[in-house]
Amino acid sequence: MKTIERISKFTGDTFALWVIFFGALSFFYPSGFTWIAPHITLLLGIIMFGMGLTLSPSDFKAVFKAPRSVLIGVLAQFIIMPLLAFGLANLFQLEPEIAVGVILVGCCPGGTASNVMTFLAKGNTALSVAVTSISTLLAPILTPTLTLLLASKWLPVSASSMFVSIAQIVLVPIVLGIIVKLLFKNQVAKSVSALPLISVVGIVAVASAVVAVNAGKIAETGLLILGVVALHNVLGLLFGFLAAKLLKLDFSSQKAISIEVGMQNSGLGAALALAHFSPLAAVPSAIFSVWHNISGPILATWWGKRSNKNSISSSPVPFTD
């Protein structure tokens, strides 16, 4: 078990490198990864089940201890990124499938990697976990609704079908994970150290499969999509930070909201795009998965070093409003 724990920690610490490496590999050798595509929904379900295993009542108690901070984070998540995606799709006059893909990833909840990045940035990790949990649980309602409102200009959107998909991929596995943890608390505690390894393998596999299926199209339009995705992510980080600052949250919480807003659950975006639109619509999510695992660690490392240099205490900030 100790060996698995060490491997799990290593893969978690080097997550960004694995995403980049296998993303490149699947682009140049797509035939080795296309077989994964039919199993994307299952992989995400496993990842969400693992998230359920890690959740505890304290994660939800935090919502009542600091409702204003959590509300700001959730609203920023579901307002800033969707509107930025809509604006960028219009500004760059993206073709319909790509435009819908950009909007779809913008309408997804925050990714769990944001919690790790917030910790490395010496941000308010408790706030980050609470916002990720709540936004993920709200995703079955808000993601289809926002996608319908913003993306139907380009392609028909079935919000009800998307609701069912997200419930199956996200809600049911998380609830099952929470139930299993309650019933088998000791056994789960012993195996939870392996979850980072499972998550890394799952997310890398999803991103690689989407890149492999669309390798030809990425070769044609990759630079444009990369530019839009990078801009989307960087602006999300910036506006998330500015929103938290404007609403007078402390600096630790500003960092948490910034990272939470900028880092999306791109795996969910890819799965929804493949299920309800087209493989091409999944490309922005795949590229987002690679890109935000570059920008996130860079920003987190810079903030973390800045905190050390300024002798800011790295102890957790009391999570109250």
Side-chain angles (χ1 to χ4, degrees):
M1 197 65 190
K2 289 276 179 105
T3 302
I4 294 176
E5 188 175 339
R6 283 196 294 269
I7 295 172
S8 184
K9 185 178 185 307
F10 173 75
T11 54
D13 292 342
T14 56
F15 177 43
L17 297 178
W18 295 113
V19 173
I20 296 166
F21 175 75
F22 280 99
L25 196 62
S26 62
F27 176 76
F28 290 107
Y29 303 100
S31 59
F33 298 88
T34 50
W35 63 272
I36 302 171
H39 309 292
I40 285 177
T41 298
L42 175 62
L43 288 168
L44 284 171
I46 292 170
I47 294 168
M48 291 298 106
F49 176 75
M51 180 180 177
L53 291 178
T54 63
L55 291 177
S56 64
S58 61
D59 297 325
F60 298 98
K61 285 178 184 175
V63 178
F64 300 101
K65 291 172 67 177
R68 180 173 174 271
S69 298
V70 175
L71 180 62
I72 289 170
V74 173
L75 287 176
Q77 176 69 58
F78 285 115
I79 291 175
I80 292 173
M81 290 302 273
L83 290 180
L84 281 174
F86 181 77
L88 290 169
N90 280 287
L91 178 64
F92 288 94
Q93 298 183 337
L94 301 177
E95 58 182 281
E97 288 86 354
I98 296 174
V100 169
V102 171
I103 290 170
L104 185 56
V105 74
C107 295
C108 284
T112 53
S114 61
N115 307 149
V116 179
M117 294 304 110
T118 301
F119 174 78
L120 294 175
K122 294 183 169 58
N124 192 333
T125 307
L127 173 59
S128 177
V129 171
V131 173
T132 298
S133 303
I134 298 302
S135 66
T136 300
L137 293 174
L138 290 174
I141 301 293
L142 294 182
T143 298
T145 302
L146 290 168
T147 305
L148 175 64
L149 290 173
L150 300 175
S152 54
K153 168 183 174 180
W154 286 275
L155 291 175
V157 177
S158 174
S160 57
S161 297
M162 286 182 65
F163 168 81
V164 173
S165 292
I166 299 173
Q168 291 173 340
I169 296 170
V170 175
L171 206 55
V172 172
I174 286 177
V175 171
L176 286 175
I178 292 171
I179 293 171
V180 169
K181 184 177 180 179
L182 290 173
L183 294 176
F184 306 100
K185 190 173 182 179
N186 292 333
Q187 292 88 335
V188 169
K190 292 177 182 177
S191 60
V192 76
S193 59
L195 291 178
L197 174 61
I198 296 170
S199 294
V200 169
V201 170
I203 294 171
V204 168
V206 170
S208 300
V210 175
V211 170
V213 169
N214 294 282
K217 196 65 179 180
I218 291 173
E220 294 175 24
T221 61
L223 284 178
L224 172 63
I225 302 176
L226 175 61
V228 171
V229 165
L231 197 55
H232 192 194
N233 168 247
V234 171
L235 289 176
L237 293 167
L238 174 62
F239 285 124
F241 179 81
L242 292 176
K245 187 172 184 177
L246 183 67
L247 293 167
K248 302 189 185 308
L249 297 186
D250 61 83
F251 185 52
S252 176
S253 297
Q254 290 169 19
K255 290 187 282 187
I257 298 298
S258 171
I259 293 170
E260 194 64 33
V261 170
M263 297 189 71
Q264 300 293 88
N265 188 337
S266 50
L268 176 61
L272 294 173
L274 288 171
H276 299 280
F277 298 105
S278 70
L280 181 57
V283 173
S285 291
I287 294 179
F288 201 104
S289 181
V290 176
W291 172 259
H292 79 174
N293 282 298
I294 298 172
S295 64
I298 290 172
L299 179 61
T301 301
W302 180 73
W303 261 334
K305 287 182 178 178
R306 184 182 171 199
S307 294
N308 289 335
K309 192 177 290 185
N310 294 338
S311 300
I312 297 174
S313 173
S314 61
S315 59
V317 175
F319 189 38
T320 55
D321 285 332

